[in-house]
Amino acid sequence: KNGNVAYELCRPQDLYWMWFSKIMGERLSNVALRFIPVILIACILPYPYHLDLSITLIRFLIFLASIILSSILMVSLVLLYHVICLFTLDEKGIVNIFMIMSDVLSGLVLPIPFFPNWLQNISNFLPFRYVSDFPFRLYVGNIPLNEGLIGLIVQMVWIILLILIGRFITKKLTNIYCSNFIF
Protein backbone atom coordinates (compact mmCIF):
# COMPACT_ATOMS: atom_id res chain seq x y z
CA LYS A 1 0.00 0.00 0.00
CA ASN A 2 2.77 2.44 0.88
CA GLY A 3 5.64 1.24 -1.32
CA ASN A 4 7.70 -0.55 1.33
CA VAL A 5 7.97 -3.67 -0.84
CA ALA A 6 9.39 -1.65 -3.73
CA TYR A 7 11.89 -0.09 -1.35
CA GLU A 8 12.94 -3.49 -0.02
CA LEU A 9 13.32 -4.85 -3.55
CA CYS A 10 16.03 -2.25 -4.17
CA ARG A 11 18.20 -3.82 -1.49
CA PRO A 12 20.73 -6.38 -2.74
CA GLN A 13 19.47 -9.25 -0.59
CA ASP A 14 16.97 -12.06 -0.71
CA LEU A 15 13.58 -10.64 0.26
CA TYR A 16 12.24 -13.91 1.70
CA TRP A 17 15.18 -14.55 4.06
CA MET A 18 15.30 -10.90 5.11
CA TRP A 19 11.64 -11.07 6.15
CA PHE A 20 12.18 -14.51 7.71
CA SER A 21 14.99 -13.21 9.91
CA LYS A 22 13.01 -10.10 10.90
CA ILE A 23 9.97 -12.13 11.93
CA MET A 24 12.11 -14.69 13.78
CA GLY A 25 13.92 -11.90 15.63
CA GLU A 26 10.65 -10.24 16.63
CA ARG A 27 9.16 -13.51 17.86
CA LEU A 28 12.27 -14.53 19.80
CA SER A 29 12.57 -11.12 21.47
CA ASN A 30 8.90 -11.28 22.53
CA VAL A 31 9.43 -14.75 24.00
CA ALA A 32 12.69 -13.79 25.72
CA LEU A 33 11.02 -10.92 27.55
CA ARG A 34 8.24 -13.14 28.90
CA PHE A 35 9.91 -16.52 29.29
CA ILE A 36 11.94 -16.19 32.51
CA PRO A 37 9.20 -14.61 34.69
CA VAL A 38 6.58 -17.10 33.54
CA ILE A 39 8.86 -20.12 34.11
CA LEU A 40 9.86 -18.84 37.56
CA ILE A 41 6.24 -18.35 38.58
CA ALA A 42 5.29 -21.75 37.17
CA CYS A 43 8.05 -23.44 39.19
CA ILE A 44 7.08 -21.88 42.53
CA LEU A 45 3.34 -22.57 42.29
CA PRO A 46 1.98 -25.21 44.72
CA TYR A 47 1.85 -28.92 43.80
CA PRO A 48 -1.03 -29.53 41.45
CA TYR A 49 -0.33 -26.35 39.46
CA HIS A 50 3.46 -26.12 39.33
CA LEU A 51 5.71 -26.87 36.38
CA ASP A 52 7.08 -30.36 36.77
CA LEU A 53 10.77 -30.35 35.89
CA SER A 54 11.23 -34.10 36.38
CA ILE A 55 11.74 -35.13 32.78
CA THR A 56 14.17 -37.61 31.30
CA LEU A 57 17.12 -36.29 29.36
CA ILE A 58 16.07 -37.90 26.08
CA ARG A 59 12.52 -36.51 26.38
CA PHE A 60 13.93 -33.07 27.17
CA LEU A 61 16.24 -33.17 24.14
CA ILE A 62 13.39 -34.21 21.83
CA PHE A 63 11.22 -31.48 23.39
CA LEU A 64 13.98 -28.91 22.86
CA ALA A 65 14.40 -29.95 19.21
CA SER A 66 10.62 -29.80 18.82
CA ILE A 67 10.43 -26.28 20.29
CA ILE A 68 13.18 -25.05 17.97
CA LEU A 69 11.48 -26.63 14.96
CA SER A 70 8.10 -25.27 16.04
CA SER A 71 9.57 -21.75 16.15
CA ILE A 72 10.89 -22.12 12.62
CA LEU A 73 7.58 -23.64 11.50
CA MET A 74 5.60 -20.80 13.05
CA VAL A 75 7.76 -18.19 11.33
CA SER A 76 7.43 -19.96 7.98
CA LEU A 77 3.62 -20.02 8.41
CA VAL A 78 3.49 -16.35 9.34
CA LEU A 79 5.75 -15.45 6.44
CA LEU A 80 3.62 -17.49 4.05
CA TYR A 81 0.54 -15.42 4.80
CA HIS A 82 2.63 -12.23 4.57
CA VAL A 83 3.81 -13.29 1.13
CA ILE A 84 0.26 -14.21 0.08
CA CYS A 85 -0.84 -10.74 1.23
CA LEU A 86 1.36 -9.25 -1.49
CA PHE A 87 -1.29 -10.39 -3.99
CA THR A 88 -4.03 -8.42 -2.28
CA LEU A 89 -4.41 -4.82 -1.22
CA ASP A 90 -6.10 -5.78 2.04
CA GLU A 91 -4.49 -8.36 4.30
CA LYS A 92 -7.39 -8.71 6.73
CA GLY A 93 -9.05 -11.64 4.96
CA ILE A 94 -6.01 -13.90 4.65
CA VAL A 95 -4.81 -13.02 8.16
CA ASN A 96 -8.22 -13.83 9.65
CA ILE A 97 -8.39 -17.14 7.78
CA PHE A 98 -4.91 -18.13 8.95
CA MET A 99 -5.55 -17.01 12.53
CA ILE A 100 -8.84 -18.90 12.86
CA MET A 101 -7.41 -22.04 11.27
CA SER A 102 -4.30 -21.93 13.44
CA ASP A 103 -6.20 -21.22 16.67
CA VAL A 104 -8.63 -24.09 16.15
CA LEU A 105 -6.37 -26.68 14.51
CA SER A 106 -3.40 -26.11 16.81
CA GLY A 107 -5.38 -27.01 19.90
CA LEU A 108 -5.46 -23.51 21.38
CA VAL A 109 -9.27 -23.33 21.53
CA LEU A 110 -9.91 -26.96 22.45
CA PRO A 111 -7.25 -29.62 23.08
CA ILE A 112 -6.78 -31.84 20.03
CA PRO A 113 -7.52 -35.11 21.92
CA PHE A 114 -11.05 -33.73 22.50
CA PHE A 115 -11.64 -33.29 18.75
CA PRO A 116 -13.79 -35.83 16.89
CA ASN A 117 -11.67 -38.39 15.01
CA TRP A 118 -12.18 -36.80 11.60
CA LEU A 119 -11.02 -33.39 12.90
CA GLN A 120 -8.07 -34.99 14.71
CA ASN A 121 -7.00 -36.52 11.39
CA ILE A 122 -7.19 -33.13 9.69
CA SER A 123 -5.32 -31.49 12.55
CA ASN A 124 -2.63 -34.19 12.54
CA PHE A 125 -2.08 -33.63 8.82
CA LEU A 126 -1.84 -29.82 8.84
CA PRO A 127 1.16 -27.94 10.28
CA PHE A 128 -0.71 -25.94 12.95
CA ARG A 129 -0.64 -28.75 15.53
CA TYR A 130 3.14 -28.95 15.31
CA VAL A 131 3.56 -25.33 16.40
CA SER A 132 2.08 -25.57 19.90
CA ASP A 133 0.20 -28.77 20.72
CA PHE A 134 2.89 -31.25 19.74
CA PRO A 135 5.90 -29.85 21.68
CA PHE A 136 4.02 -29.35 24.93
CA ARG A 137 2.18 -32.66 24.85
CA LEU A 138 5.56 -34.25 24.17
CA TYR A 139 6.99 -32.51 27.25
CA VAL A 140 4.24 -33.66 29.60
CA GLY A 141 4.42 -37.23 28.30
CA ASN A 142 1.11 -37.46 26.41
CA ILE A 143 3.04 -38.34 23.27
CA PRO A 144 5.39 -41.35 23.38
CA LEU A 145 9.01 -40.82 22.38
CA ASN A 146 8.78 -42.90 19.17
CA GLU A 147 5.78 -40.82 18.09
CA GLY A 148 7.77 -37.74 19.10
CA LEU A 149 10.57 -38.66 16.72
CA ILE A 150 8.04 -39.10 13.91
CA GLY A 151 6.59 -35.71 14.85
CA LEU A 152 10.03 -34.12 14.51
CA ILE A 153 10.28 -35.49 10.98
CA VAL A 154 6.79 -34.17 10.18
CA GLN A 155 7.82 -30.75 11.51
CA MET A 156 10.90 -30.75 9.28
CA VAL A 157 8.86 -31.77 6.23
CA TRP A 158 6.37 -28.95 6.85
CA ILE A 159 9.18 -26.44 7.35
CA ILE A 160 10.83 -27.42 4.07
CA LEU A 161 7.51 -27.42 2.22
CA LEU A 162 6.37 -24.04 3.56
CA ILE A 163 9.73 -22.41 2.93
CA LEU A 164 9.80 -23.73 -0.64
CA ILE A 165 6.26 -22.46 -1.29
CA GLY A 166 7.03 -19.10 0.33
CA ARG A 167 10.26 -18.66 -1.62
CA PHE A 168 8.53 -19.66 -4.87
CA ILE A 169 5.77 -17.08 -4.36
CA THR A 170 8.30 -14.43 -3.33
CA LYS A 171 10.42 -15.08 -6.44
CA LYS A 172 7.33 -14.88 -8.67
CA LEU A 173 6.20 -11.63 -7.08
CA THR A 174 9.71 -10.20 -7.17
CA ASN A 175 9.85 -10.89 -10.91
CA ILE A 176 6.41 -9.31 -11.40
CA TYR A 177 7.26 -6.20 -9.38
CA CYS A 178 10.72 -5.79 -10.89
CA SER A 179 9.43 -6.18 -14.47
CA ASN A 180 6.96 -3.32 -13.86
CA PHE A 181 9.65 -0.89 -12.68
CA ILE A 182 11.44 1.30 -15.17
CA PHE A 183 14.94 2.11 -14.01
Side-chain angles (χ1 to χ4, degrees):
K1 291 179 184 178
N2 59 12
N4 285 344
V5 174
Y7 178 71
E8 289 183 355
L9 286 171
C10 295
R11 296 179 180 163
Q13 56 192 359
D14 188 321
L15 191 62
Y16 183 85
W17 291 114
M18 181 183 69
W19 286 347
F20 191 94
S21 61
K22 279 184 180 181
I23 293 170
M24 180 65 90
E26 289 171 4
R27 301 293 172 146
L28 288 177
S29 65
N30 288 338
V31 167
L33 293 173
R34 295 182 185 114
F35 178 73
I36 293 174
V38 170
I39 293 299
L40 287 175
I41 291 170
C43 288
I44 61 173
L45 286 173
Y47 166 66
Y49 308 107
H50 76 283
L51 177 64
D52 187 12
L53 297 176
S54 62
I55 183 173
T56 64
L57 180 62
I58 188 71
R59 183 171 293 278
F60 178 74
L61 293 175
I62 293 173
F63 165 74
L64 189 62
S66 174
I67 280 290
I68 292 168
L69 290 174
S70 71
S71 300
I72 297 168
L73 181 59
M74 185 254 327
V75 170
S76 62
L77 276 166
V78 168
L79 189 52
L80 181 63
Y81 76 72
H82 281 301
V83 169
I84 292 172
C85 286
L86 292 175
F87 283 113
T88 64
L89 293 178
D90 190 16
E91 71 281 347
K92 292 176 188 159
I94 192 70
V95 169
N96 286 337
I97 290 169
F98 264 84
M99 296 305 286
I100 290 169
M101 284 178 51
S102 66
D103 283 352
V104 171
L105 297 174
S106 66
L108 293 176
V109 175
L110 183 70
I112 292 175
F114 294 156
F115 286 0
N117 287 337
W118 63 271
L119 191 55
Q120 281 186 25
N121 292 335
I122 292 171
S123 179
N124 289 336
F125 175 73
L126 294 174
F128 305 109
R129 170 188 183 233
Y130 297 97
V131 172
S132 59
D133 176 72
F134 174 73
F136 297 112
R137 285 188 49 218
L138 183 66
Y139 180 85
V140 297
N142 288 1
I143 297 175
L145 290 178
N146 59 347
E147 208 175 301
L149 293 173
I150 294 169
L152 291 177
I153 294 168
V154 172
Q155 281 181 312
M156 287 186 254
V157 168
W158 272 114
I159 288 168
I160 292 167
L161 185 66
L162 291 171
I163 287 175
L164 288 175
I165 292 170
R167 285 194 45 82
F168 176 77
I169 294 172
T170 305
K171 288 290 184 189
K172 285 290 186 188
L173 288 171
T174 302
N175 291 338
I176 291 170
Y177 286 138
C178 289
S179 67
N180 291 332
F181 293 139
I182 300 173
F183 293 101

